[in-house]
Coordinates of all heavy atoms in Angstrom, one line a residue:
M1 N -27.9 -71.6 117.9 CA -26.7 -71.6 118.2 C -25.7 -71.8 117.3 O -25.8 -72.8 116.5 CB -26.4 -72.5 119.5 CG -25.2 -72.7 120.1 SD -25.2 -73.4 121.6 CE -24.2 -74.8 121.5
S2 N -24.8 -71.0 117.0 CA -23.8 -71.1 115.9 C -22.5 -71.6 116.5 O -21.9 -71.1 117.5 CB -23.7 -69.9 115.2 OG -22.4 -69.4 115.1
E3 N -22.0 -72.6 115.9 CA -20.8 -73.3 116.3 C -19.6 -72.8 115.4 O -19.7 -72.5 114.2 CB -20.7 -74.8 115.9 CG -20.7 -75.6 117.2 CD -20.7 -77.1 116.9 OE1 -19.7 -77.6 116.5 OE2 -21.8 -77.5 117.1
T4 N -18.4 -72.4 116.0 CA -17.3 -71.8 115.4 C -16.3 -73.0 115.2 O -16.0 -73.8 116.1 CB -16.5 -70.8 116.2 OG1 -17.5 -69.8 116.6 CG2 -15.4 -70.2 115.4
L5 N -15.9 -73.2 113.9 CA -15.0 -74.4 113.7 C -13.6 -73.8 113.8 O -13.2 -72.8 113.1 CB -15.2 -75.0 112.3 CG -16.4 -75.6 112.1 CD1 -16.7 -75.9 110.6 CD2 -16.7 -76.7 113.1
E6 N -12.7 -74.4 114.5 CA -11.3 -74.0 114.5 C -10.4 -74.9 113.7 O -10.8 -76.0 113.4 CB -10.7 -74.2 116.1 CG -11.4 -73.2 117.1 CD -10.7 -73.4 118.5 OE1 -9.6 -73.8 118.4 OE2 -11.4 -73.1 119.4
R7 N -9.5 -74.2 113.1 CA -8.6 -74.9 112.0 C -7.6 -75.8 112.8 O -7.1 -75.5 113.9 CB -7.8 -73.8 111.3 CG -8.6 -73.2 110.2 CD -7.8 -72.5 109.3 NE -8.5 -72.2 108.1 CZ -7.9 -71.5 107.1 NH1 -6.8 -70.9 107.2 NH2 -8.6 -71.3 106.0
P8 N -7.3 -77.1 112.3 CA -6.4 -77.8 112.9 C -4.9 -77.2 112.8 O -4.7 -76.2 112.0 CB -6.4 -79.1 112.1 CG -7.2 -78.8 110.9 CD -7.9 -77.6 111.1
V9 N -4.0 -77.7 113.7 CA -2.6 -77.1 113.7 C -2.1 -77.1 112.4 O -1.4 -76.1 111.9 CB -1.8 -77.8 114.8 CG1 -0.4 -77.3 114.8 CG2 -2.5 -77.7 116.1
D10 N -2.1 -78.2 111.6 CA -1.5 -78.4 110.3 C -2.5 -78.0 109.3 O -3.1 -78.8 108.7 CB -0.9 -79.7 110.1 CG 0.1 -79.8 108.9 OD1 0.5 -78.8 108.4 OD2 0.3 -81.0 108.3
T11 N -2.7 -76.6 109.0 CA -3.7 -76.2 108.0 C -3.3 -76.5 106.7 O -2.2 -76.1 106.3 CB -3.8 -74.6 108.4 OG1 -3.8 -74.4 109.8 CG2 -5.0 -74.1 107.7
A12 N -4.3 -76.9 106.0 CA -4.2 -77.1 104.5 C -4.8 -76.0 103.7 O -6.0 -75.7 104.0 CB -4.8 -78.4 104.2
V13 N -4.1 -75.3 103.1 CA -4.5 -74.2 102.2 C -4.4 -74.6 100.8 O -3.3 -74.8 100.2 CB -3.8 -72.9 102.5 CG1 -4.3 -71.7 101.7 CG2 -3.8 -72.5 104.1
G14 N -5.5 -74.7 100.1 CA -5.5 -75.0 98.7 C -4.7 -76.4 98.4 O -4.0 -76.5 97.4
G15 N -4.9 -77.2 99.2 CA -4.4 -78.6 99.1 C -2.9 -78.7 99.7 O -2.3 -79.7 99.4
I16 N -2.4 -77.6 100.2 CA -1.0 -77.6 100.6 C -0.9 -77.6 102.2 O -1.7 -76.6 102.8 CB -0.3 -76.4 100.1 CG1 -0.3 -76.5 98.6 CG2 1.1 -76.1 100.6 CD1 0.3 -75.3 97.8
A17 N -0.1 -78.4 102.7 CA 0.0 -78.3 104.2 C 0.9 -77.2 104.5 O 2.0 -77.1 104.5 CB 0.5 -79.6 104.7
A18 N 0.2 -76.0 105.0 CA 0.9 -74.7 105.1 C 2.0 -74.8 106.4 O 3.0 -74.3 106.2 CB -0.1 -73.7 105.5
D19 N 1.6 -75.5 107.4 CA 2.7 -75.6 108.5 C 3.9 -76.3 108.0 O 5.0 -76.1 108.3 CB 2.1 -76.2 109.7 CG 1.1 -75.3 110.3 OD1 1.1 -74.0 110.1 OD2 0.2 -75.9 111.1
R20 N 3.8 -77.3 107.3 CA 4.8 -78.2 106.8 C 5.7 -77.3 105.7 O 6.8 -77.3 105.8 CB 4.1 -79.5 106.0 CG 5.3 -80.3 105.5 CD 5.9 -81.1 106.4 NE 6.9 -82.2 105.7 CZ 8.0 -82.5 106.0 NH1 8.6 -81.8 107.1 NH2 8.8 -83.2 105.3
L21 N 4.9 -76.7 104.8 CA 5.7 -75.7 104.0 C 6.5 -74.7 104.7 O 7.6 -74.5 104.3 CB 4.7 -75.1 103.1 CG 5.3 -74.2 102.0 CD1 6.2 -74.8 101.0 CD2 4.1 -73.5 101.1
R22 N 6.0 -74.1 105.7 CA 6.6 -73.1 106.6 C 7.8 -73.6 107.2 O 8.9 -73.1 107.1 CB 5.6 -72.5 107.5 CG 6.3 -71.3 108.4 CD 5.3 -70.7 109.2 NE 4.2 -70.2 108.6 CZ 2.8 -70.7 108.5 NH1 2.6 -71.8 109.2 NH2 2.0 -70.0 107.9
S23 N 7.7 -74.9 107.6 CA 8.8 -75.6 108.4 C 9.9 -75.7 107.4 O 11.1 -75.5 107.7 CB 8.4 -76.9 108.9 OG 9.4 -77.6 109.3
I24 N 9.6 -76.2 106.2 CA 10.6 -76.5 105.1 C 11.4 -75.1 104.8 O 12.7 -75.1 104.8 CB 10.1 -77.1 103.9 CG1 9.6 -78.6 104.2 CG2 11.1 -77.1 102.8 CD1 8.9 -79.3 103.2
I25 N 10.5 -74.1 104.5 CA 11.2 -72.9 104.2 C 11.9 -72.2 105.2 O 13.1 -71.8 105.0 CB 10.0 -71.8 103.7 CG1 9.5 -72.2 102.4 CG2 10.6 -70.4 103.7 CD1 8.3 -71.5 102.0
E26 N 11.5 -72.4 106.6 CA 12.4 -71.8 107.7 C 13.7 -72.6 107.8 O 14.7 -72.1 108.2 CB 11.6 -71.8 109.0 CG 10.5 -70.8 108.9 CD 9.5 -71.0 110.0 OE1 9.5 -72.0 110.8 OE2 8.6 -70.1 110.2
R27 N 13.7 -73.9 107.6 CA 14.9 -74.7 107.7 C 15.9 -74.4 106.6 O 17.0 -74.2 106.9 CB 14.5 -76.3 107.5 CG 13.9 -76.7 108.9 CD 13.3 -78.2 108.8 NE 14.0 -79.1 108.0 CZ 13.5 -80.1 107.3 NH1 12.1 -80.3 107.2 NH2 14.2 -80.9 106.6
V28 N 15.4 -74.1 105.4 CA 16.3 -73.7 104.3 C 16.9 -72.3 104.7 O 18.1 -72.1 104.5 CB 15.5 -73.8 103.0 CG1 16.4 -73.0 101.9 CG2 15.2 -75.1 102.5
E29 N 16.1 -71.4 105.1 CA 16.6 -70.1 105.6 C 17.6 -70.1 106.6 O 18.7 -69.4 106.6 CB 15.4 -69.3 106.1 CG 14.4 -68.7 105.0 CD 13.2 -68.1 105.5 OE1 12.9 -68.3 106.6 OE2 12.7 -67.3 104.6
R30 N 17.5 -71.1 107.5 CA 18.5 -71.3 108.6 C 19.8 -71.7 108.1 O 20.9 -71.3 108.4 CB 18.0 -72.1 109.8 CG 17.2 -71.6 110.8 CD 16.9 -72.4 111.9 NE 16.2 -73.6 111.7 CZ 14.9 -73.9 111.5 NH1 14.2 -72.9 111.9 NH2 14.6 -75.2 111.3
L31 N 19.7 -72.8 107.1 CA 20.9 -73.4 106.5 C 21.6 -72.3 105.6 O 22.7 -72.2 105.6 CB 20.4 -74.6 105.8 CG 20.1 -75.9 106.7 CD1 19.7 -76.9 105.8 CD2 21.4 -76.1 107.4
E32 N 20.8 -71.4 105.1 CA 21.4 -70.5 104.2 C 22.2 -69.3 104.9 O 23.2 -68.9 104.5 CB 20.3 -69.8 103.2 CG 19.8 -70.6 102.1 CD 18.7 -70.0 101.2 OE1 18.0 -69.0 101.8 OE2 18.5 -70.4 100.2
A33 N 21.6 -69.1 106.0 CA 22.3 -68.2 107.1 C 23.6 -68.9 107.6 O 24.6 -68.1 107.6 CB 21.4 -67.9 108.2
E34 N 23.6 -70.1 107.8 CA 24.8 -70.8 108.2 C 25.7 -70.9 107.2 O 27.0 -70.8 107.4 CB 24.5 -72.3 108.7 CG 23.7 -72.4 110.0 CD 23.3 -73.8 110.4 OE1 23.9 -74.7 110.0 OE2 22.3 -74.0 111.1
R35 N 25.3 -71.1 106.0 CA 26.3 -71.3 104.8 C 26.8 -69.8 104.6 O 28.1 -69.7 104.4 CB 25.4 -71.5 103.6 CG 26.4 -71.5 102.3 CD 25.8 -72.1 101.1 NE 24.5 -71.5 100.7 CZ 23.6 -72.0 99.8 NH1 24.0 -73.1 99.1 NH2 22.5 -71.5 99.6
K36 N 26.2 -68.8 104.8 CA 26.8 -67.4 104.6 C 27.8 -67.2 105.6 O 28.8 -66.7 105.4 CB 25.6 -66.3 104.7 CG 26.0 -64.9 104.5 CD 25.0 -64.0 104.6 CE 25.5 -62.5 104.5 NZ 24.3 -61.5 104.5
A37 N 27.5 -67.6 106.9 CA 28.5 -67.4 107.9 C 29.8 -68.4 107.7 O 30.9 -67.9 107.8 CB 27.9 -67.9 109.3
L38 N 29.5 -69.5 107.1 CA 30.7 -70.4 106.9 C 31.5 -69.8 105.7 O 32.8 -70.0 105.7 CB 30.3 -71.9 106.4 CG 29.7 -72.6 107.7 CD1 29.0 -74.0 107.2 CD2 30.8 -72.9 108.7
T39 N 30.8 -69.3 104.7 CA 31.6 -68.7 103.6 C 32.3 -67.5 104.1 O 33.6 -67.4 103.5 CB 30.5 -68.2 102.5 OG1 29.8 -69.3 102.0 CG2 31.2 -67.5 101.3
G40 N 31.9 -66.8 105.0 CA 32.7 -65.7 105.6 C 34.0 -66.2 106.3 O 35.1 -65.6 106.1
D41 N 33.7 -67.3 107.0 CA 34.8 -67.9 107.8 C 35.9 -68.5 106.8 O 37.1 -68.3 107.1 CB 34.3 -69.0 108.7 CG 33.4 -68.5 109.9 OD1 33.4 -67.3 110.1 OD2 32.7 -69.4 110.4
I42 N 35.4 -69.1 105.8 CA 36.4 -69.6 104.8 C 37.1 -68.5 104.3 O 38.4 -68.6 104.0 CB 35.7 -70.5 103.7 CG1 35.2 -71.7 104.4 CG2 36.6 -70.8 102.5 CD1 34.1 -72.5 103.5
G43 N 36.5 -67.4 103.8 CA 37.1 -66.3 103.3 C 38.3 -65.7 104.2 O 39.4 -65.3 103.9
D44 N 37.9 -65.8 105.5 CA 38.8 -65.2 106.5 C 40.0 -66.3 106.5 O 41.2 -65.7 106.7 CB 38.3 -65.2 108.0 CG 37.1 -64.2 108.1 OD1 37.2 -63.3 107.2 OD2 36.4 -64.4 109.1
I45 N 39.9 -67.5 106.4 CA 41.0 -68.4 106.4 C 41.8 -68.2 105.2 O 43.1 -68.2 105.3 CB 40.5 -69.8 106.5 CG1 39.9 -70.1 107.9 CG2 41.7 -70.7 106.2 CD1 39.1 -71.5 107.9
F46 N 41.2 -67.9 104.0 CA 42.1 -67.5 102.8 C 42.8 -66.4 103.0 O 44.0 -66.2 102.5 CB 41.2 -67.6 101.5 CG 40.8 -69.0 101.0 CD1 39.5 -69.3 100.9 CD2 41.8 -69.8 100.7 CE1 39.1 -70.5 100.4 CE2 41.4 -71.1 100.2 CZ 40.2 -71.5 100.0
A47 N 42.2 -65.4 103.6 CA 42.9 -64.0 103.9 C 44.1 -64.3 104.8 O 45.2 -63.7 104.6 CB 42.0 -63.0 104.5
E48 N 43.9 -65.2 105.7 CA 45.1 -65.5 106.7 C 46.1 -66.2 105.9 O 47.4 -66.0 106.1 CB 44.5 -66.4 107.8 CG 45.6 -66.9 108.8 CD 44.9 -68.0 109.7 OE1 43.7 -68.1 109.9 OE2 45.7 -68.7 110.3
A49 N 45.7 -67.3 105.1 CA 46.8 -67.9 104.3 C 47.6 -66.8 103.3 O 48.9 -67.0 103.3 CB 46.1 -68.8 103.4
K50 N 46.9 -65.9 102.8 CA 47.5 -65.0 101.9 C 48.4 -64.2 102.6 O 49.6 -63.9 102.1 CB 46.4 -64.2 101.2 CG 47.0 -63.1 100.2 CD 45.9 -62.5 99.5 CE 46.6 -61.6 98.5 NZ 45.6 -60.9 97.6
S51 N 48.1 -63.7 103.9 CA 48.9 -62.8 104.7 C 50.1 -63.6 105.2 O 51.1 -63.0 105.5 CB 48.2 -62.2 105.9 OG 47.8 -63.3 106.8
A52 N 50.1 -65.0 105.3 CA 51.2 -65.8 105.6 C 52.1 -66.0 104.4 O 53.0 -66.9 104.7 CB 50.6 -67.0 106.3
G53 N 51.8 -65.5 103.3 CA 52.5 -65.8 102.2 C 52.2 -67.0 101.2 O 52.9 -67.2 100.3
F54 N 51.1 -67.6 101.5 CA 50.6 -68.7 100.6 C 49.9 -68.2 99.5 O 49.3 -67.1 99.5 CB 49.7 -69.6 101.4 CG 50.5 -70.5 102.5 CD1 50.4 -70.1 103.8 CD2 51.3 -71.4 102.2 CE1 50.9 -70.7 104.9 CE2 52.1 -72.1 103.2 CZ 52.0 -71.8 104.6
D55 N 49.9 -68.9 98.3 CA 49.2 -68.5 97.1 C 47.8 -69.2 97.2 O 47.7 -70.4 97.2 CB 50.0 -69.1 95.8 CG 49.4 -68.7 94.5 OD1 48.2 -68.5 94.5 OD2 50.1 -68.4 93.7
V56 N 46.8 -68.3 97.4 CA 45.4 -68.7 97.6 C 44.9 -69.6 96.3 O 44.2 -70.7 96.5 CB 44.5 -67.6 97.9 CG1 43.1 -68.0 98.0 CG2 45.0 -67.0 99.3
K57 N 45.3 -69.2 95.2 CA 44.8 -70.0 93.9 C 45.3 -71.3 94.0 O 44.7 -72.2 93.7 CB 45.4 -69.1 92.7 CG 45.0 -69.8 91.5 CD 45.5 -68.9 90.2 CE 45.1 -69.6 88.9 NZ 45.6 -68.9 87.7
V58 N 46.6 -71.6 94.3 CA 47.1 -72.9 94.5 C 46.5 -73.6 95.6 O 46.1 -74.9 95.4 CB 48.6 -73.0 94.7 CG1 49.3 -74.2 95.0 CG2 49.4 -72.2 93.6
I59 N 46.2 -73.0 96.7 CA 45.4 -73.7 97.8 C 44.0 -74.2 97.3 O 43.7 -75.3 97.6 CB 45.3 -72.8 99.0 CG1 46.7 -72.7 99.7 CG2 44.3 -73.4 100.0 CD1 46.7 -71.6 100.8
R60 N 43.4 -73.3 96.5 CA 42.2 -73.8 96.1 C 42.2 -74.9 95.1 O 41.4 -75.8 95.1 CB 41.4 -72.6 95.3 CG 41.0 -71.4 96.1 CD 40.2 -70.3 95.4 NE 39.9 -69.2 96.3 CZ 38.9 -69.0 97.1 NH1 38.0 -70.1 97.1 NH2 38.7 -68.0 97.8
Q61 N 43.4 -75.1 94.2 CA 43.7 -76.1 93.4 C 43.9 -77.5 94.1 O 43.4 -78.5 93.8 CB 44.8 -75.8 92.5 CG 44.5 -74.9 91.3 CD 45.8 -74.6 90.5 OE1 46.9 -74.6 91.1 NE2 45.6 -74.2 89.3
L62 N 44.5 -77.2 95.2 CA 44.8 -78.4 96.1 C 43.6 -79.0 96.8 O 43.3 -80.1 96.8 CB 45.8 -78.1 97.2 CG 47.2 -77.8 96.8 CD1 48.1 -77.2 97.8 CD2 47.9 -79.2 96.3
L63 N 42.7 -78.0 97.1 CA 41.3 -78.5 97.7 C 40.5 -79.2 96.7 O 40.0 -80.3 97.1 CB 40.6 -77.2 98.3 CG 41.2 -76.6 99.5 CD1 40.6 -75.2 99.8 CD2 41.0 -77.5 100.8
R64 N 40.5 -78.8 95.5 CA 39.9 -79.6 94.5 C 40.4 -80.8 94.2 O 39.6 -81.8 94.1 CB 39.8 -78.6 93.2 CG 38.8 -77.5 93.1 CD 38.7 -77.0 91.7 NE 39.9 -76.4 91.2 CZ 40.2 -75.1 91.3 NH1 39.7 -74.3 92.1 NH2 41.6 -74.7 90.9
L65 N 41.7 -80.8 94.2 CA 42.3 -82.2 94.0 C 42.1 -83.2 95.1 O 41.7 -84.4 94.9 CB 43.9 -82.2 93.9 CG 44.4 -81.5 92.6 CD1 46.0 -81.2 92.8 CD2 44.2 -82.4 91.4
R66 N 42.0 -82.7 96.3 CA 41.7 -83.6 97.6 C 40.3 -84.0 97.5 O 40.0 -85.2 98.1 CB 42.0 -82.9 98.8 CG 43.6 -82.6 99.0 CD 43.9 -81.7 100.2 NE 43.1 -82.1 101.5 CZ 43.8 -82.7 102.3 NH1 45.1 -83.1 102.3 NH2 43.2 -83.0 103.6
R67 N 39.5 -83.4 96.8 CA 38.0 -83.8 96.6 C 37.9 -85.0 95.7 O 36.8 -85.7 95.7 CB 37.1 -82.8 96.3 CG 36.8 -81.8 97.4 CD 35.6 -80.9 97.3 NE 36.0 -79.9 96.3 CZ 36.5 -78.6 96.3 NH1 36.5 -78.3 97.7 NH2 36.8 -77.8 95.4
R68 N 38.9 -85.2 94.8 CA 38.7 -86.2 93.8 C 39.3 -87.5 94.0 O 40.2 -87.6 95.0 CB 39.3 -85.5 92.5 CG 38.5 -84.4 92.0 CD 39.3 -83.7 90.9 NE 39.5 -84.5 89.8 CZ 40.6 -84.3 88.8 NH1 41.2 -83.2 88.9 NH2 40.6 -85.2 87.9
E69 N 39.1 -88.5 93.4 CA 39.6 -89.8 93.6 C 41.1 -89.8 93.0 O 41.4 -89.3 92.0 CB 38.7 -90.8 92.7 CG 37.4 -91.1 93.3 CD 37.6 -91.8 94.6 OE1 38.3 -92.7 94.9 OE2 36.6 -91.4 95.4
P70 N 42.0 -90.4 94.0 CA 43.4 -90.5 93.6 C 43.7 -91.0 92.2 O 44.6 -90.4 91.3 CB 44.1 -91.3 94.7 CG 43.2 -91.2 95.7 CD 41.8 -91.1 95.2
A71 N 43.1 -92.0 91.7 CA 43.3 -92.7 90.5 C 42.8 -91.6 89.3 O 43.6 -91.6 88.3 CB 42.4 -94.0 90.3
E72 N 41.8 -90.9 89.6 CA 41.4 -90.0 88.4 C 42.4 -88.9 88.4 O 42.7 -88.4 87.2 CB 40.0 -89.4 88.9 CG 39.4 -88.5 87.9 CD 38.1 -87.8 88.6 OE1 37.3 -88.5 89.3 OE2 37.7 -86.7 88.2
V73 N 42.9 -88.4 89.6 CA 43.9 -87.3 89.5 C 45.3 -87.8 88.8 O 45.8 -87.1 88.0 CB 44.3 -86.8 91.0 CG1 45.5 -85.9 91.0 CG2 43.0 -86.2 91.5
E74 N 45.6 -89.1 89.1 CA 46.8 -89.6 88.6 C 46.7 -89.8 87.0 O 47.5 -89.3 86.3 CB 47.1 -90.9 89.1 CG 48.5 -91.6 88.6 CD 48.8 -92.9 89.3 OE1 48.2 -93.2 90.3 OE2 49.6 -93.6 88.8
A75 N 45.5 -90.2 86.6 CA 45.3 -90.4 85.1 C 45.4 -89.0 84.4 O 45.9 -88.9 83.4 CB 44.0 -91.0 84.9
E76 N 44.8 -87.9 85.0 CA 44.8 -86.6 84.5 C 46.2 -86.0 84.4 O 46.6 -85.5 83.4 CB 43.8 -85.8 85.2 CG 43.7 -84.3 84.6 CD 42.7 -83.5 85.5 OE1 41.6 -83.9 85.5 OE2 43.2 -82.4 85.8
E77 N 47.0 -86.3 85.4 CA 48.2 -85.8 85.6 C 49.2 -86.5 84.5 O 50.1 -85.8 83.9 CB 48.8 -85.9 86.9 CG 48.4 -84.9 87.9 CD 48.7 -85.1 89.3 OE1 49.5 -86.2 89.6 OE2 48.6 -84.3 90.1
T78 N 49.0 -87.7 84.3 CA 49.7 -88.5 83.4 C 49.4 -87.9 81.9 O 50.3 -87.8 81.1 CB 49.4 -90.0 83.4 OG1 49.7 -90.5 84.6 CG2 50.2 -90.8 82.3
L79 N 48.2 -87.8 81.6 CA 47.7 -87.2 80.3 C 48.3 -85.8 80.1 O 48.8 -85.4 79.0 CB 46.2 -87.2 80.1 CG 45.7 -87.1 78.8 CD1 46.1 -88.1 77.8 CD2 44.1 -87.2 78.8
L80 N 48.3 -85.0 81.3 CA 48.7 -83.6 81.0 C 50.3 -83.6 80.7 O 50.7 -82.9 80.0 CB 48.5 -82.9 82.4 CG 49.0 -81.5 82.5 CD1 48.3 -80.6 81.4 CD2 48.7 -80.9 83.8
A81 N 50.9 -84.6 81.4 CA 52.5 -84.7 81.2 C 52.7 -85.1 79.6 O 53.6 -84.6 79.0 CB 53.2 -85.8 82.1
I82 N 51.9 -86.0 79.1 CA 52.1 -86.4 77.8 C 51.9 -85.2 76.8 O 52.6 -85.0 75.9 CB 51.1 -87.6 77.4 CG1 51.5 -88.8 78.2 CG2 51.1 -87.9 75.9 CD1 50.5 -90.0 78.2
Y83 N 50.7 -84.6 77.1 CA 50.5 -83.4 76.2 C 51.5 -82.2 76.3 O 51.9 -81.6 75.3 CB 49.1 -82.7 76.8 CG 47.9 -83.6 76.3 CD1 47.9 -84.7 75.7 CD2 46.6 -83.1 76.8 CE1 46.8 -85.4 75.4 CE2 45.4 -83.7 76.4 CZ 45.5 -85.0 75.7 OH 44.3 -85.6 75.5
R84 N 52.0 -82.1 77.5 CA 53.2 -81.2 77.7 C 54.4 -81.5 76.8 O 54.9 -80.7 76.1 CB 53.5 -81.0 79.1 CG 52.7 -80.2 79.9 CD 53.2 -80.1 81.3 NE 52.3 -79.1 82.1 CZ 52.4 -79.0 83.3 NH1 53.2 -79.7 84.1 NH2 51.7 -78.2 84.0
R85 N 54.7 -82.8 76.8 CA 55.8 -83.3 76.1 C 55.6 -83.1 74.7 O 56.4 -82.7 73.8 CB 56.1 -84.8 76.4 CG 56.9 -84.9 77.6 CD 57.6 -86.3 77.7 NE 56.6 -87.4 77.5 CZ 56.0 -87.9 78.5 NH1 56.2 -87.7 79.8 NH2 55.2 -88.9 78.1
A86 N 54.2 -83.4 74.1 CA 53.9 -83.2 72.7 C 54.1 -81.8 72.3 O 54.4 -81.5 71.2 CB 52.5 -83.7 72.5
L87 N 53.9 -80.8 73.2 CA 53.8 -79.4 72.9 C 55.3 -78.9 73.1 O 55.6 -77.6 72.8 CB 52.8 -78.6 73.7 CG 51.4 -79.0 73.2 CD1 50.5 -78.2 74.1 CD2 51.1 -78.6 71.8
G88 N 56.2 -79.6 73.8 CA 57.5 -79.2 74.0 C 57.5 -78.3 75.3 O 58.4 -77.3 75.4
L89 N 56.7 -78.4 76.2 CA 56.7 -77.6 77.4 C 57.3 -78.2 78.6 O 57.3 -79.2 78.9 CB 55.2 -77.2 77.8 CG 54.3 -76.5 76.8 CD1 52.9 -76.5 77.3 CD2 54.7 -75.1 76.6

């Protein structure tokens, strides 16, 4: 009588847990799809801002500034003002 061995649910192939790897890949794929959707939504908001007369380039600069520490921004602005005065701008 020959016995058939069934593979466990978390199959290891070449020392790799295939089910775990598949799970990780599928999670990344889902997040990439969400990111793509969010990128589209953000683009729509920028288009809305532009159609309302706002300068999108300036809005992007403001968003970058808001992500930084206030002290860092202040130090950079102070240095920029000094450089401008030195160049007569």
Side-chain angles (χ1 to χ4, degrees):
M1 173 163 125
S2 125
E3 242 180 79
T4 310
L5 296 176
E6 292 186 26
R7 290 187 152 177
V9 174
D10 193 19
T11 311
V13 178
I16 297 173
D19 291 338
R20 177 80 170 132
L21 178 60
R22 184 176 297 105
S23 170
I24 290 169
I25 290 173
E26 289 171 352
R27 287 168 41 211
V28 170
E29 288 173 338
R30 278 193 301 275
L31 290 172
E32 286 176 342
E34 288 177 29
R35 178 173 49 190
K36 184 177 179 182
L38 289 172
T39 299
D41 292 345
I42 291 169
D44 292 345
I45 293 169
F46 281 125
E48 177 186 339
K50 186 174 181 176
S51 70
F54 293 106
D55 187 323
V56 172
K57 183 177 177 181
V58 174
I59 290 174
R60 290 183 189 277
Q61 288 175 331
L62 288 170
L63 289 168
R64 280 192 300 274
L65 285 172
R66 288 170 57 98
R67 284 191 290 262
R68 296 173 54 198
E69 291 294 321
E72 182 184 334
V73 173
E74 184 178 343
E76 185 178 302
E77 287 176 350
T78 300
L79 194 55
L80 181 60
I82 292 169
Y83 287 2
R84 282 182 174 169
R85 280 196 309 268
L87 295 174
L89 297 175

